[in-house]
Short mmCIF file of all heavy atoms in Angstrom, two decimals:
data_model
loop_
_atom_site.label_atom_id
_atom_site.label_comp_id
_atom_site.label_asym_id
_atom_site.label_seq_id
_atom_site.Cartn_x
_atom_site.Cartn_y
_atom_site.Cartn_z
N GLY A 1 37.70 -34.27 75.72
CA GLY A 1 37.14 -33.52 76.87
C GLY A 1 37.96 -32.35 77.28
O GLY A 1 37.91 -31.90 78.44
N PHE A 2 38.76 -31.74 76.36
CA PHE A 2 39.55 -30.56 76.73
C PHE A 2 38.63 -29.38 76.82
O PHE A 2 37.72 -29.17 76.05
CB PHE A 2 40.61 -30.38 75.63
CG PHE A 2 41.62 -31.51 75.51
CD1 PHE A 2 42.23 -31.74 74.32
CD2 PHE A 2 41.98 -32.31 76.66
CE1 PHE A 2 43.14 -32.81 74.21
CE2 PHE A 2 42.89 -33.26 76.51
CZ PHE A 2 43.48 -33.55 75.32
N VAL A 3 38.99 -28.53 77.79
CA VAL A 3 38.17 -27.29 77.99
C VAL A 3 39.08 -26.09 77.80
O VAL A 3 40.18 -25.93 78.30
CB VAL A 3 37.66 -27.31 79.48
CG1 VAL A 3 36.82 -26.04 79.75
CG2 VAL A 3 36.87 -28.53 79.78
N ARG A 4 38.52 -25.16 76.97
CA ARG A 4 39.36 -24.00 76.59
C ARG A 4 39.77 -23.17 77.81
O ARG A 4 40.87 -22.62 77.77
CB ARG A 4 38.58 -23.16 75.62
CG ARG A 4 39.36 -21.93 75.17
CD ARG A 4 38.91 -21.33 73.85
NE ARG A 4 39.75 -20.24 73.48
CZ ARG A 4 39.75 -19.73 72.25
NH1 ARG A 4 39.05 -20.23 71.30
NH2 ARG A 4 40.58 -18.66 71.96
N SER A 5 38.93 -23.06 78.79
CA SER A 5 39.25 -22.24 79.94
C SER A 5 40.56 -22.76 80.62
O SER A 5 41.40 -22.00 81.14
CB SER A 5 38.11 -22.18 80.95
OG SER A 5 37.78 -23.49 81.43
N ARG A 6 40.68 -24.05 80.70
CA ARG A 6 41.87 -24.70 81.31
C ARG A 6 43.10 -24.40 80.48
O ARG A 6 44.21 -24.18 80.96
CB ARG A 6 41.67 -26.15 81.48
CG ARG A 6 42.76 -26.80 82.35
CD ARG A 6 42.39 -28.21 82.79
NE ARG A 6 43.45 -28.91 83.44
CZ ARG A 6 43.74 -28.83 84.74
NH1 ARG A 6 42.98 -28.04 85.51
NH2 ARG A 6 44.72 -29.54 85.28
N GLU A 7 42.92 -24.41 79.13
CA GLU A 7 44.07 -24.07 78.19
C GLU A 7 44.50 -22.66 78.46
O GLU A 7 45.71 -22.30 78.36
CB GLU A 7 43.61 -24.27 76.79
CG GLU A 7 43.15 -25.75 76.41
CD GLU A 7 44.26 -26.81 76.71
OE1 GLU A 7 45.41 -26.52 76.47
OE2 GLU A 7 43.90 -27.87 77.17
N GLU A 8 43.55 -21.78 78.74
CA GLU A 8 43.88 -20.37 78.96
C GLU A 8 44.61 -20.15 80.21
O GLU A 8 45.51 -19.32 80.35
CB GLU A 8 42.61 -19.50 78.84
CG GLU A 8 42.06 -19.45 77.44
CD GLU A 8 40.68 -18.82 77.31
OE1 GLU A 8 40.06 -18.59 78.46
OE2 GLU A 8 40.21 -18.51 76.24
N VAL A 9 44.33 -21.01 81.25
CA VAL A 9 45.04 -20.95 82.48
C VAL A 9 46.47 -21.34 82.26
O VAL A 9 47.40 -20.66 82.77
CB VAL A 9 44.40 -21.90 83.55
CG1 VAL A 9 45.27 -22.08 84.77
CG2 VAL A 9 43.07 -21.35 84.00
N SER A 10 46.66 -22.35 81.43
CA SER A 10 48.07 -22.87 81.12
C SER A 10 48.79 -21.73 80.37
O SER A 10 49.98 -21.54 80.63
CB SER A 10 47.98 -24.10 80.26
OG SER A 10 49.24 -24.52 79.89
N SER A 11 48.08 -21.08 79.48
CA SER A 11 48.76 -20.00 78.68
C SER A 11 49.24 -18.87 79.62
O SER A 11 50.35 -18.37 79.47
CB SER A 11 47.74 -19.47 77.66
OG SER A 11 48.29 -18.42 76.92
N ARG A 12 48.41 -18.48 80.58
CA ARG A 12 48.86 -17.43 81.50
C ARG A 12 50.01 -17.93 82.39
O ARG A 12 50.90 -17.18 82.58
CB ARG A 12 47.63 -17.01 82.34
CG ARG A 12 46.56 -16.28 81.57
CD ARG A 12 45.60 -15.61 82.59
NE ARG A 12 44.83 -16.54 83.44
CZ ARG A 12 43.70 -17.12 83.04
NH1 ARG A 12 43.16 -16.88 81.88
NH2 ARG A 12 43.07 -17.94 83.88
N LEU A 13 49.93 -19.18 82.80
CA LEU A 13 51.00 -19.67 83.67
C LEU A 13 52.38 -19.77 82.95
O LEU A 13 53.33 -19.29 83.49
CB LEU A 13 50.65 -21.09 84.21
CG LEU A 13 51.66 -21.77 85.14
CD1 LEU A 13 51.84 -20.97 86.39
CD2 LEU A 13 51.27 -23.18 85.44
N ILE A 14 52.34 -20.34 81.79
CA ILE A 14 53.61 -20.51 81.07
C ILE A 14 54.23 -19.12 80.70
O ILE A 14 55.50 -19.00 80.75
CB ILE A 14 53.41 -21.38 79.78
CG1 ILE A 14 54.74 -21.96 79.32
CG2 ILE A 14 52.68 -20.66 78.73
CD1 ILE A 14 54.58 -22.90 78.20
N SER A 15 53.35 -18.21 80.40
CA SER A 15 53.87 -16.84 80.07
C SER A 15 54.50 -16.14 81.28
O SER A 15 55.43 -15.35 81.03
CB SER A 15 52.75 -15.99 79.46
OG SER A 15 52.21 -16.61 78.33
N ARG A 16 54.06 -16.41 82.46
CA ARG A 16 54.59 -15.83 83.63
C ARG A 16 55.91 -16.50 84.09
O ARG A 16 56.79 -15.85 84.60
CB ARG A 16 53.57 -15.88 84.80
CG ARG A 16 52.34 -14.96 84.55
CD ARG A 16 51.29 -15.19 85.58
NE ARG A 16 50.10 -14.36 85.32
CZ ARG A 16 48.94 -14.54 85.95
NH1 ARG A 16 48.83 -15.51 86.90
NH2 ARG A 16 47.90 -13.78 85.72
N LEU A 17 55.98 -17.78 83.91
CA LEU A 17 57.10 -18.52 84.41
C LEU A 17 58.32 -18.55 83.45
O LEU A 17 59.46 -18.55 83.96
CB LEU A 17 56.72 -19.96 84.67
CG LEU A 17 55.68 -20.27 85.76
CD1 LEU A 17 55.38 -21.74 85.81
CD2 LEU A 17 56.18 -19.82 87.12
N TYR A 18 58.11 -18.50 82.18
CA TYR A 18 59.22 -18.66 81.22
C TYR A 18 59.39 -17.47 80.34
O TYR A 18 58.40 -16.83 79.91
CB TYR A 18 58.94 -19.89 80.34
CG TYR A 18 58.86 -21.25 81.02
CD1 TYR A 18 57.71 -21.64 81.58
CD2 TYR A 18 60.02 -22.05 81.16
CE1 TYR A 18 57.63 -22.89 82.28
CE2 TYR A 18 60.02 -23.25 81.83
CZ TYR A 18 58.76 -23.67 82.35
OH TYR A 18 58.71 -24.90 83.03
N LYS A 19 60.64 -17.11 80.12
CA LYS A 19 60.98 -15.89 79.26
C LYS A 19 61.78 -16.35 78.07
O LYS A 19 62.97 -16.68 78.23
CB LYS A 19 61.72 -14.89 80.09
CG LYS A 19 60.98 -14.43 81.34
CD LYS A 19 59.62 -13.87 81.02
CE LYS A 19 58.81 -13.51 82.32
NZ LYS A 19 57.40 -13.14 82.00
N PRO A 20 61.18 -16.52 76.91
CA PRO A 20 61.89 -16.97 75.73
C PRO A 20 63.09 -16.09 75.34
O PRO A 20 62.97 -14.86 75.48
CB PRO A 20 60.84 -16.99 74.61
CG PRO A 20 59.53 -17.01 75.33
CD PRO A 20 59.77 -16.20 76.63
N GLU A 21 64.14 -16.75 74.90
CA GLU A 21 65.32 -16.01 74.41
C GLU A 21 65.75 -16.65 73.06
O GLU A 21 65.96 -17.83 72.99
CB GLU A 21 66.47 -16.05 75.39
CG GLU A 21 66.16 -15.37 76.68
CD GLU A 21 67.33 -15.43 77.69
OE1 GLU A 21 68.48 -15.92 77.26
OE2 GLU A 21 67.21 -14.95 78.82
N GLY A 22 65.94 -15.82 72.01
CA GLY A 22 66.32 -16.32 70.73
C GLY A 22 65.25 -16.23 69.68
O GLY A 22 64.12 -15.79 69.97
N ASN A 23 65.53 -16.67 68.48
CA ASN A 23 64.60 -16.58 67.34
C ASN A 23 64.64 -17.85 66.58
O ASN A 23 65.68 -18.25 66.01
CB ASN A 23 65.04 -15.37 66.47
CG ASN A 23 63.99 -15.06 65.42
OD1 ASN A 23 63.26 -15.88 64.99
ND2 ASN A 23 63.97 -13.77 65.07
N LEU A 24 63.52 -18.54 66.46
CA LEU A 24 63.46 -19.77 65.82
C LEU A 24 63.74 -19.70 64.31
O LEU A 24 64.33 -20.57 63.71
CB LEU A 24 62.06 -20.47 66.01
CG LEU A 24 61.82 -21.26 67.23
CD1 LEU A 24 60.35 -21.69 67.25
CD2 LEU A 24 62.70 -22.49 67.27
N SER A 25 63.35 -18.60 63.70
CA SER A 25 63.50 -18.44 62.31
C SER A 25 64.98 -18.42 61.88
O SER A 25 65.36 -18.78 60.76
CB SER A 25 62.73 -17.18 61.72
OG SER A 25 63.30 -16.00 62.30
N ASP A 26 65.80 -17.96 62.82
CA ASP A 26 67.25 -17.92 62.53
C ASP A 26 67.78 -19.34 62.35
O ASP A 26 68.81 -19.57 61.63
CB ASP A 26 68.02 -17.24 63.66
CG ASP A 26 67.77 -15.75 63.78
OD1 ASP A 26 67.26 -15.18 62.78
OD2 ASP A 26 68.04 -15.20 64.82
N ILE A 27 67.12 -20.31 62.98
CA ILE A 27 67.55 -21.73 62.88
C ILE A 27 66.86 -22.45 61.71
O ILE A 27 67.45 -23.28 61.05
CB ILE A 27 67.24 -22.44 64.19
CG1 ILE A 27 67.92 -21.71 65.41
CG2 ILE A 27 67.67 -23.91 64.15
CD1 ILE A 27 67.45 -22.31 66.72
N LEU A 28 65.62 -22.11 61.45
CA LEU A 28 64.80 -22.89 60.60
C LEU A 28 64.56 -22.37 59.17
O LEU A 28 64.33 -23.16 58.24
CB LEU A 28 63.40 -23.12 61.23
CG LEU A 28 63.45 -23.93 62.54
CD1 LEU A 28 62.10 -24.00 63.18
CD2 LEU A 28 63.99 -25.32 62.32
N LEU A 29 64.56 -21.11 58.98
CA LEU A 29 64.18 -20.51 57.68
C LEU A 29 64.97 -21.06 56.52
O LEU A 29 66.27 -20.99 56.56
CB LEU A 29 64.27 -18.97 57.74
CG LEU A 29 63.88 -18.25 56.45
CD1 LEU A 29 62.33 -18.50 56.22
CD2 LEU A 29 64.15 -16.75 56.62
N ASN A 30 64.32 -21.64 55.54
CA ASN A 30 64.93 -22.20 54.35
C ASN A 30 65.84 -23.38 54.57
O ASN A 30 66.60 -23.76 53.70
CB ASN A 30 65.67 -21.11 53.59
CG ASN A 30 64.81 -19.96 53.12
OD1 ASN A 30 63.67 -20.18 52.65
ND2 ASN A 30 65.33 -18.74 53.17
N GLN A 31 65.73 -23.99 55.71
CA GLN A 31 66.58 -25.14 56.07
C GLN A 31 65.85 -26.47 55.83
O GLN A 31 64.63 -26.58 56.01
CB GLN A 31 67.06 -25.09 57.54
CG GLN A 31 67.87 -23.84 57.83
CD GLN A 31 69.21 -23.83 57.07
OE1 GLN A 31 69.94 -24.79 57.06
NE2 GLN A 31 69.43 -22.69 56.36
N GLU A 32 66.59 -27.54 55.57
CA GLU A 32 66.00 -28.90 55.62
C GLU A 32 66.14 -29.35 57.04
O GLU A 32 67.18 -29.26 57.68
CB GLU A 32 66.86 -29.83 54.69
CG GLU A 32 66.33 -31.26 54.74
CD GLU A 32 67.03 -32.13 53.71
OE1 GLU A 32 67.67 -31.58 52.75
OE2 GLU A 32 66.97 -33.39 53.90
N VAL A 33 65.08 -29.90 57.59
CA VAL A 33 65.05 -30.34 58.99
C VAL A 33 64.64 -31.80 59.08
O VAL A 33 63.96 -32.36 58.18
CB VAL A 33 64.11 -29.46 59.87
CG1 VAL A 33 64.39 -27.98 59.70
CG2 VAL A 33 62.65 -29.76 59.57
N THR A 34 65.04 -32.43 60.10
CA THR A 34 64.68 -33.76 60.43
C THR A 34 64.04 -33.80 61.81
O THR A 34 64.63 -33.34 62.78
CB THR A 34 65.90 -34.75 60.47
OG1 THR A 34 66.39 -34.91 59.09
CG2 THR A 34 65.43 -36.12 60.93
N ILE A 35 62.81 -34.28 61.84
CA ILE A 35 62.09 -34.43 63.16
C ILE A 35 62.13 -35.91 63.56
O ILE A 35 61.70 -36.76 62.83
CB ILE A 35 60.67 -33.84 63.09
CG1 ILE A 35 60.65 -32.42 62.63
CG2 ILE A 35 59.96 -34.05 64.44
CD1 ILE A 35 59.34 -31.85 62.35
N VAL A 36 62.60 -36.14 64.80
CA VAL A 36 62.65 -37.50 65.26
C VAL A 36 61.44 -37.68 66.24
O VAL A 36 61.29 -36.99 67.15
CB VAL A 36 63.97 -37.79 66.01
CG1 VAL A 36 63.98 -39.22 66.52
CG2 VAL A 36 65.14 -37.51 65.12
#
């Protein structure tokens, strides 16, 4: 019962509140990873 309009509200909220810093590819590219 998920509604796309509510997901879009979340997208707008998270983008206003949080400012990402860094680059994931620097950590992950060509690396072996373990997910717990």
Side-chain angles (χ1 to χ4, degrees):
F2 298 149
V3 180
R4 180 159 182 163
S5 60
R6 190 170 174 84
E7 302 301 321
E8 291 171 348
V9 169
S10 178
S11 179
R12 291 194 296 272
L13 178 65
I14 198 173
S15 299
R16 290 172 184 169
L17 294 177
Y18 297 86
K19 304 303 176 187
E21 296 181 5
N23 191 331
L24 275 176
S25 64
D26 291 343
I27 303 173
L28 296 175
L29 183 62
N30 296 323
Q31 298 297 308
E32 179 175 342
V33 307
T34 293
I35 302 174
V36 181

